[in-house]
Amino acid sequence: MGATVLDAVRVTSRTTATGEVVYLWQEETHDLRGDGDSNWCVMAFGNKADIIRRIYLMAESVASGMLKVGGQSVTAFIDAMLKKLDSPGHMRCETVLLENTNGKAFYGAITPHNRAAIRQFLREIGRLDLAEKIEEPGDSSQKVEFVLDDDFQALRGIINSVEYDGLDINDHRTRRKGIAAWKVFRYSDGMTCLHADGSFGPTDEIQAVEQLAKLDLEVYATDINVGYGNGADPENAFVAMLNDKPIYFGGIQYDNYCLTQALVKSALDVHLKTGQKVLRPLLKTLKNALASPKSLPDDTVIRFDCEGYSDRWMKEKIGEVRDLLGQGDDGQPQFSTTFGDLAKISSPSCNSLRYVIDSVKAEFVLQSQPALF
């Protein structure tokens, strides 16, 4: 835990000829277990919303302890990063070269795994000229040039939005979204294409609203034991609902960083929709709600969505839970039950249930309403 230390961040931006504001986000980090040398790396590119999304993603790692930020709290860290974002330096980079390769080049941005998906995306947005540039490179890599003033939205989509299959082109177990920004912006030391020599701060599509966003956070206690291993102490699962939508289902006995991560994600959604920072009030409400959680009716219906879990080990765990419920495997990617039935099969030795709860998407409704699916 806590292997990465954040030393500094910097953000640069430029306004294109069409009036769009482009942002580039860099992070300087070092490995806590390494030699202490720090390295700069581009970690996000796009409009202001894309950078805000990266900031909250980093905050999730702060909550879990995987990222060290000098003792700052999650909320203080977000505030500090957003302040950085409001005063960007000037980005001088005008063209970007994407390495198009058939090999395993470290900076290979376009590879056999994503080439078809990238070309399809470019065609769908009407950029046939760019799609035609991305040819099969043969034995040697090619460089595909993008011009920020003309190709910002195309480049932004490739980095943040294009979905393609997992690391193996024939592996359909996972879906990858986007490509790493550091593979696109190789020269992240500020010398080649970046230079912070001023600032300007026009914002883009995030619009603040006067009315405070609705923040109805409820926490419910269940009788479902999700403790690990034989003889382990019991740990009951909790359910958190924000504005009547489930955001978390799991245990919190030893630490609640997973629940905090869920709140960070929810706060990000609110921030992007309204421009409001709501993590602090959410964390305050959470503390009060955990002190006196509500009870969850046993007949509350829950659905587990197992679509996409073709991994044999995970399929075995899902099958074990269904067998314990007396359902068996009917070949469908979803199955339904109630919280009461889950409580009956739960125990510290039933690790398969905890794995399924931790890994599989779950949807449920309260107050004994029929499941909405």
Side-chain angles (χ1 to χ4, degrees):
M1 297 287 283
T4 302
V5 180
L6 181 68
D7 298 310
V9 300
R10 62 188 176 200
V11 58
T12 54
S13 68
R14 66 181 284 121
T15 301
T16 69
T18 58
E20 297 174 297
V21 184
V22 180
Y23 290 86
L24 196 66
W25 179 266
Q26 298 171 272
E27 298 164 17
E28 184 184 32
T29 61
H30 73 270
D31 190 336
L32 194 63
R33 297 168 295 187
D35 55 13
D37 290 341
S38 296
N39 297 288
W40 281 100
C41 190
V42 172
M43 295 303 294
F45 168 82
N47 59 25
K48 197 169 189 178
D50 296 317
I51 308 304
I52 290 176
R53 189 173 290 109
R54 172 62 188 172
I55 290 171
Y56 277 82
L57 179 63
M58 295 169 68
E60 289 182 49
S61 296
V62 174
S64 67
M66 295 301 294
L67 181 66
K68 300 298 184 184
V69 292
Q72 287 181 306
S73 67
V74 173
T75 51
F77 171 76
I78 291 176
D79 287 345
M81 296 300 99
L82 292 175
K83 186 176 181 180
K84 286 272 190 182
L85 180 57
D86 285 338
S87 300
H90 177 54
M91 185 199 312
R92 288 188 172 181
C93 179
E94 296 179 354
T95 61
V96 180
L97 298 177
L98 271 66
E99 186 170 351
N100 181 22
T101 177
N102 269 335
K104 295 183 178 181
F106 186 70
Y107 284 105
I110 305 172
T111 70
H113 307 309
N114 63 14
R115 186 176 293 112
I118 290 175
R119 294 189 63 173
Q120 179 62 27
F121 166 76
L122 293 173
R123 293 190 190 103
E124 289 175 352
I125 65 173
R127 294 306 305 270
L128 301 182
D129 57 324
L130 291 175
E132 290 175 356
K133 284 185 178 182
I134 303 176
E135 302 174 344
E136 293 290 336
D139 295 333
S140 59
S141 297
Q142 297 178 353
K143 299 293 191 299
V144 182
E145 182 178 276
F146 287 75
V147 180
L148 282 182
D149 275 357
D150 301 326
D151 308 328
F152 167 53
Q153 290 299 344
L155 189 60
R156 174 181 177 247
I158 289 173
I159 294 175
N160 298 311
S161 303
V162 173
E163 290 192 354
Y164 56 96
D165 289 329
L167 297 178
D168 183 341
I169 193 65
N170 297 313
D171 181 0
H172 297 280
R173 292 177 300 177
T174 59
R175 297 289 291 173
R176 303 284 174 173
K177 189 171 184 179
I179 56 179
W182 55 264
K183 290 187 175 184
V184 177
F185 295 90
R186 296 178 56 172
Y187 306 105
S188 60
D189 59 1
M191 300 299 293
T192 303
C193 65
L194 306 173
H195 187 63
D197 61 353
S199 65
F200 49 86
T203 58
D204 44 26
E205 76 280 9
I206 302 174
Q207 300 294 327
V209 296
E210 294 183 2
Q211 185 177 1
L212 184 65
K214 180 183 178 184
L215 298 175
D216 186 10
L217 179 66
E218 301 285 356
V219 176
Y220 298 84
T222 76
D223 293 326
I224 300 172
N225 190 334
V226 289
Y228 277 120
N230 291 317
D233 294 333
E235 180 183 0
N236 288 351
F238 286 79
V239 170
M241 304 278 287
L242 180 62
N243 298 338
D244 298 323
K245 294 182 180 180
I247 63 170
Y248 182 75
F249 175 31
I252 63 170
Q253 177 173 322
Y254 299 106
D255 49 56
N256 65 355
Y257 71 80
C258 288
L259 181 49
T260 301
Q261 287 178 304
L263 285 186
V264 171
K265 291 179 181 178
S266 299
L268 168 62
D269 291 338
V270 174
H271 193 141
L272 294 180
K273 291 176 182 177
T274 70
Q276 298 176 12
K277 294 185 292 184
V278 299
L279 184 57
R280 273 193 173 85
L282 281 177
L283 290 173
K284 183 177 180 180
T285 302
L286 175 64
K287 182 178 181 180
N288 295 331
L290 286 174
S292 55
K294 296 184 177 181
S295 59
L296 188 68
D298 284 345
D299 54 357
T300 300
V301 178
I302 181 169
R303 178 184 76 168
F304 290 98
D305 187 349
C306 311
E307 189 169 8
Y309 287 88
S310 57
D311 177 82
R312 185 175 67 179
W313 183 86
M314 194 63 207
K315 287 186 71 175
E316 290 177 355
K317 300 305 175 185
I318 294 169
E320 290 174 9
V321 171
R322 297 193 67 168
D323 288 342
L324 289 170
L325 291 169
Q327 295 189 11
D329 184 4
D330 58 5
Q332 298 300 313
Q334 296 90 20
F335 70 94
S336 302
T337 185
T338 65
F339 278 86
D341 287 338
L342 288 179
K344 291 177 183 177
I345 69 170
S346 69
S347 70
S349 61
C350 188
N351 284 334
S352 57
L353 177 59
R354 178 154 191 163
Y355 294 136
V356 171
I357 289 175
D358 286 346
S359 303
V360 181
K361 179 182 178 182
E363 298 176 356
F364 48 91
V365 291
L366 300 181
Q367 299 175 348
S368 305
Q369 300 174 18
L372 303 178
F373 52 85

